[in-house]
Amino acid sequence: MQVDPNSHEGSEQDTQANSETDKLKQPRVTSKRFFGSHASRRSFLGRAGLFSAASVVTGVLGSTFSSKKGGDIVQAQDIKRRYNNRSFDYRRFVDKAYRVRVEAATLERNIPIPAHPTNGDEERYPNKIGSDSRALPHDERGEVKLEAYNSLTKALTTQNPNDFENIILGGTRKLLNPQGALAISLEGINAAQIAVPAPPALASADRAAEAVELYWQALLRDVPLSKLQNNTDNPKVLAAVEDLNKLSAFRGPKQNGRVTPQTLFRGSVNYVGSGSSTKYVTPPGVLNGPYLSQFLLLTIPWGTQSVSPLIRTALPGNDFLVNFQEWLTVQNGGSSGKSIKYDPKNRYIVTVRDLGEYAHIGGPTYVGASLILGSIGTPLNPGNPYVRSRTQSGSAATFAVGHLQALLNLGTSRVIRASYWQKFYVHRILRPEAYGGLVYNNIVNKTQYPINSEVLNSQALAQTFSTFNTYLLPQAYPEAAPIHSSYTGGAAATAGVNITLLKAFFDENFVIPSPVVPDPKDPTKLIPYSGPPLTVGGELNKLATNYAIGRGHGGIHWRSDGSASLALGEEVAISLLRDERLGYNEIFNGFTFTKFDGTRVTV
């Protein structure tokens, strides 16, 4: 429901914010009145301006005094006189803060609430085979027990904290933060105001195409990323390209209408298009040069210390959930008892598996990028008010890297709230590992689940059985996916919000000096990259999509999970920047940068 911006509540708040005379006439606020259980949000905002100068200076809420024996306490009149003699108008500064907060809240409230279409699978299938049910108890085929599923949806519907404690689980794993999405953020857009496209339906050709890509990602885990280029001689890469080009609805990046080795497993972004359509884009720079972003290869300078880009990674052959009983145990919320065997020697990210392992655990990715940008001499965004100042520079307070880093941390928390709202309260889409179980049951147990024939007839599935002796989707992580639904992807949403903030603070047209690639002969060393120039904006976009598609390399996310989440994260970042801008004192014309779809915006 939309709230009328011209309602009585809005006008009353504005009146309270601007009328000092009326405030001074009101009675003193006592702790009981102010914090009483019947106080409304509107009365709270109205009373926020009642604190006197005396109460502000002394730290006592709602109390004035005139004297105390011993003369230790300054009298109220003396405080008031000293306050009025200050050259800085404290009250005006406090009232400005109040007005800015009200203005930000009003602006965010007036954003329309879009439609939130689902793919209809939860209603379409009474046995809930198209919905995420992991960690709940399942039968011997892997179908969720409806009593347990209903206990989940009851909690999500009532939003009663006690109902969440009554969700029926099947093992020891717990749901990941379902109530976190209900937290009200005091800055930025509300999750219900962000539109994402409806995800592909279970039986659709779109979902089949994403499944075929995931099976190929599992088959190519130990292939070097350097083989994902058009002059490749790798037979698996060429087979994957041929197979994906046969699909009727593959939405990943293409060149001249076809998947090529250079576009294979590169990232994309999905926006809401006209009507109920989806707009598919490849962000600028994502197809340029090496597969891996420079920000995953450069050392992060951190004051007097540094963070190496060398990673701990899994050895080849670490693939899980290829056995049906192991798969079922994990679907029920149990542990297989297995763990990853790691390479004893750290190295650069050089294979599909390496990127999947990096996206599994992560690192100081985005704060690290902010520090790398400074170390390579990247100019600040030309719109930064201090770029041309004759007498001043920015700091952690405003418009320097410290300010940006505070927003990066804030953005991560706020975008997870928005992503998890879609996961729990709108879509509840099954994970790829669960889809693999449906494929397995169709072939082995003849269940006739509605799996599109393009998966069943694909070379990806045939080669998976030949390689792993299973039709399940091999997972790179023994625990498989986190215990919440697939759409939208939290890690990709985090990438979207952070990369957008980075582009708002730095000059994205700056060409990265002396770019590098891992040495094909020694993955612990780098060699110079020779090729077209790589820009900050392009490599930041590549970093975002590397991280999003890296979760697919692990087997835990569909392409559309990451693609839609990058756009969601971008929207959250824009809303945070919009609110931030209201409070600046500097002469500032706004943050100007390029969105993932290539359009220039000023916030």
Side-chain angles (χ1 to χ4, degrees), residues 337-475:
K338 296 182 177 180
S339 59
I340 295 174
K341 294 181 177 61
Y342 292 102
D343 191 325
K345 192 171 187 178
N346 286 5
R347 66 170 187 244
Y348 290 99
I349 297 170
V350 294
T351 67
V352 171
R353 186 184 300 278
D354 293 345
L355 183 56
E357 184 58 24
Y358 182 84
H360 182 202
I361 299 172
T365 309
Y366 309 110
V367 170
S370 73
L371 296 169
I372 290 171
L373 286 165
S375 72
I376 63 175
T378 312
L380 294 172
N381 191 307
N384 188 307
Y386 291 111
V387 167
R388 293 180 177 83
S389 175
R390 185 177 59 85
T391 61
Q392 306 165 78
S393 61
S395 76
T398 57
F399 294 107
V401 175
H403 176 202
L404 166 63
Q405 290 169 351
L407 291 177
L408 296 178
N409 288 318
L410 177 65
T412 295
S413 168
R414 297 309 180 252
V415 82
I416 287 295
R417 292 178 179 180
S419 175
Y420 284 20
W421 185 80
Q422 298 284 348
K423 283 179 181 290
F424 284 108
Y425 298 94
V426 182
H427 296 291
R428 298 191 280 276
I429 296 301
L430 84 167
R431 289 277 183 170
E433 67 192 73
Y435 184 95
L438 300 179
V439 172
Y440 175 96
N441 274 315
N442 257 21
I443 298 172
V444 176
N445 296 320
K446 312 301 181 185
T447 50
Q448 297 186 348
Y449 291 135
I451 300 300
N452 190 284
S453 62
E454 292 191 10
V455 175
L456 303 176
N457 297 330
S458 69
Q459 279 299 306
L461 190 61
Q463 289 205 25
T464 296
F465 183 77
S466 176
T467 303
F468 298 100
N469 196 33
T470 188
Y471 297 106
L472 295 165
L473 176 64
Q475 300 288 297

Side-chain angles (χ1 to χ4, degrees), residues 117-406:
T118 69
N119 67 9
D121 281 347
E122 188 172 47
E123 297 76 22
R124 187 175 292 119
Y125 304 114
N127 56 1
K128 308 305 177 186
I129 57 170
S131 302
D132 181 55
S133 60
R134 289 161 316 104
L136 307 180
H138 299 76
D139 66 18
E140 66 279 0
R141 288 192 306 191
E143 289 187 19
V144 67
K145 295 183 178 180
L146 293 181
E147 179 188 9
Y149 193 84
N150 291 338
S151 72
L152 170 65
T153 55
K154 177 184 177 181
L156 297 174
T157 301
T158 66
Q159 299 171 21
N160 184 331
N162 294 323
D163 287 336
F164 285 92
E165 293 299 317
N166 292 323
I167 295 171
I168 300 169
L169 298 180
T172 57
R173 294 183 75 185
K174 301 178 182 180
L175 299 174
L176 186 58
N177 204 200
Q179 294 187 74
L182 301 176
I184 301 301
S185 299
L186 300 183
E187 58 290 296
I189 194 170
N190 185 279
Q193 295 167 297
I194 304 175
V196 298
L202 176 66
S204 68
D206 292 79
R207 181 58 88 212
E210 294 191 331
V212 170
E213 182 180 38
L214 280 167
Y215 277 101
W216 278 116
Q217 285 172 277
L219 287 163
L220 271 65
R221 280 195 181 120
D222 297 311
V223 169
L225 295 170
S226 61
K227 295 296 183 180
L228 305 184
Q229 54 189 12
N230 287 341
N231 64 352
T232 189
D233 58 357
N234 187 280
K236 285 187 177 181
V237 171
L238 295 173
V241 167
E242 181 183 1
D243 206 24
L244 291 173
N245 277 317
K246 293 177 181 177
L247 301 171
S248 63
F250 182 68
R251 308 299 184 184
K254 299 179 181 180
Q255 291 177 324
N256 299 319
R258 291 184 59 80
V259 180
T260 70
Q262 180 75 14
T263 70
L264 186 66
F265 305 157
R266 301 244 180 174
S268 54
V269 177
N270 294 354
Y271 290 90
V272 175
S274 58
S276 59
S277 67
T278 301
K279 175 184 173 184
Y280 304 94
V281 304
T282 302
V286 164
L287 297 184
N288 296 343
Y291 182 94
L292 201 67
S293 171
Q294 291 295 296
F295 294 101
L296 293 174
L297 296 172
L298 300 178
T299 297
I300 300 171
W302 204 315
T304 56
Q305 299 175 292
S306 61
V307 178
S308 169
L310 300 175
I311 70 163
R312 181 192 70 173
T313 190
L315 289 166
N318 275 265
D319 299 294
F320 305 93
L321 274 66
V322 295
N323 172 277
F324 187 80
Q325 286 305 313
E326 178 187 347
W327 174 88
L328 185 58
T329 296
V330 171
Q331 300 314 292
N332 284 330
S335 170
S336 68
K338 296 182 177 180
S339 59
I340 295 174
K341 294 181 177 61
Y342 292 102
D343 191 325
K345 192 171 187 178
N346 286 5
R347 66 170 187 244
Y348 290 99
I349 297 170
V350 294
T351 67
V352 171
R353 186 184 300 278
D354 293 345
L355 183 56
E357 184 58 24
Y358 182 84
H360 182 202
I361 299 172
T365 309
Y366 309 110
V367 170
S370 73
L371 296 169
I372 290 171
L373 286 165
S375 72
I376 63 175
T378 312
L380 294 172
N381 191 307
N384 188 307
Y386 291 111
V387 167
R388 293 180 177 83
S389 175
R390 185 177 59 85
T391 61
Q392 306 165 78
S393 61
S395 76
T398 57
F399 294 107
V401 175
H403 176 202
L404 166 63
Q405 290 169 351

